[in-house]
Amino acid sequence: VERAGHGYGSSTIFLILGWMGFLIFRGGRFEAAYDRIIPGLRTTVETTIYAFGIALVRTAVANQNALNYNGVDIEVNYAAPEGFLNLPGQLSARYLASWVDDQELVEATGLATDRAGNAISGLPEWSMTGSVTYDFAPFSTTLTARYFNDVKANTSATALGPNDPNYNPSQANTFSQNLWKGQVYFNWAGSFDLVEPEPGRRIQLFGVIDNLLNTQPPDFFILQSSGVGQANLFDLIGRRFRAGVRFAF
């Protein structure tokens, strides 16, 4: 208990209520206050109770958790000159990469846990996305590749597997398999303009194939992830197709 209610009067009686706080009786008026710290959330409620009911309730909430990130983001864009490789049209490429060195969660109690490289509660240490687009009016096509490196499988950031130097099978926080291999996913998208685009006017056919090679997630990933955290890191559906028409008038 860190806060106290304040009042007035000649007599004062304290009644301890365990973790909730205390009541103070002063000159015919009760005052109650408690200050409860929950991991990541600190809530303070002050209540003044008169003889005929509650006159005032004041609540203050503060998030005392912290996230400390440290890493590098890389982005490279390239548009090939006209006639590149003797191809008509326009060829362009884009590359994005992220390196996460630290992803530290600091709780209100001061406990710090680094979740970098954890598949469920963190981010991969390395993740990359690259795409190549070829435009040759009225046709356009794009091939995209998404990659991430090996990630830890267990939801606990302190879990250890055979790949960890401190692995000890006799310890409760060790697992015989605690690493999922990194994967690469390919997506394809294409479009064809039925009408030459003009400002405010367009009719276009398009098609998309996600997970072009039908790459499957690791065994038991769906059960272990339970659909939380970075469950979208691995593709859980498989190859799928989309097609449609875009209109603009």
Side-chain angles (χ1 to χ4, degrees):
V1 177
E2 298 182 6
R3 298 199 48 145
H6 299 286
Y8 50 85
S10 57
S11 60
T12 300
I13 300 175
F14 290 88
L15 177 62
I16 303 299
L17 297 179
W19 67 268
M20 286 191 61
F22 52 84
L23 290 176
I24 303 176
F25 178 76
R26 294 174 183 268
R29 142 178 161 182
F30 286 98
E31 293 190 2
Y34 75 87
D35 198 341
R36 175 68 171 167
I37 298 179
I38 304 172
L41 188 67
R42 177 171 178 168
T43 304
T44 301
V45 177
E46 297 180 5
T47 305
T48 301
I49 305 177
Y50 289 92
F52 299 101
I54 298 175
L56 172 67
V57 175
R58 181 181 302 139
T59 303
V61 179
N63 188 349
Q64 294 188 329
N65 278 0
L67 281 175
N68 298 324
Y69 281 80
N70 180 33
V72 177
D73 291 330
I74 303 170
E75 180 175 357
V76 178
N77 294 286
Y78 175 75
E82 187 176 352
F84 181 72
L85 298 178
N86 295 320
L87 290 174
Q90 178 69 54
L91 187 68
S92 59
R94 188 184 189 197
Y95 173 78
L96 302 170
S98 292
W99 171 60
V100 180
D101 186 32
D102 298 305
Q103 188 185 358
E104 188 179 61
L105 172 65
V106 183
E107 300 181 13
T109 58
L111 176 65
T113 305
D114 188 2
R115 300 183 181 274
N118 190 293
I120 306 302
S121 56
L123 295 170
E125 293 182 352
W126 278 103
S127 57
M128 307 175 191
T129 301
S131 63
V132 177
T133 299
Y134 177 60
D135 287 311
F136 182 47
F139 175 75
S140 177
T141 182
T142 299
L143 181 66
T144 302
R146 179 173 67 91
Y147 162 82
F148 54 88
N149 69 330
D150 298 350
V151 288
K152 288 187 176 181
N154 197 273
T155 55
S156 172
T158 59
L160 301 176
N163 55 294
D164 294 292
N166 296 323
Y167 176 71
N168 184 346
S170 64
Q171 299 299 317
N173 66 330
T174 58
F175 298 82
S176 60
Q177 174 60 39
N178 191 40
L179 194 69
W180 283 322
K181 292 294 184 180
Q183 291 188 345
V184 180
Y185 292 97
F186 291 93
N187 302 326
W188 174 85
S191 63
F192 184 83
D193 293 318
L194 296 177
V195 177
E196 185 175 352
E198 298 177 2
R201 181 172 178 267
R202 186 179 206 177
I203 303 177
Q204 182 185 79
L205 299 176
F206 72 91
V208 177
I209 304 177
D210 291 321
N211 196 352
L212 185 64
L213 302 182
N214 198 31
T215 304
Q216 298 299 306
D219 294 338
F220 307 112
F221 174 78
I222 297 176
L223 294 177
Q224 188 161 354
S225 68
S226 300
V228 299
Q230 294 299 315
N232 60 345
L233 192 62
F234 295 91
D235 190 305
L236 307 183
I237 301 175
R239 184 189 297 117
R240 51 201 180 275
F241 305 85
R242 291 181 286 134
V245 181
R246 298 187 180 101
F247 295 90
F249 296 98

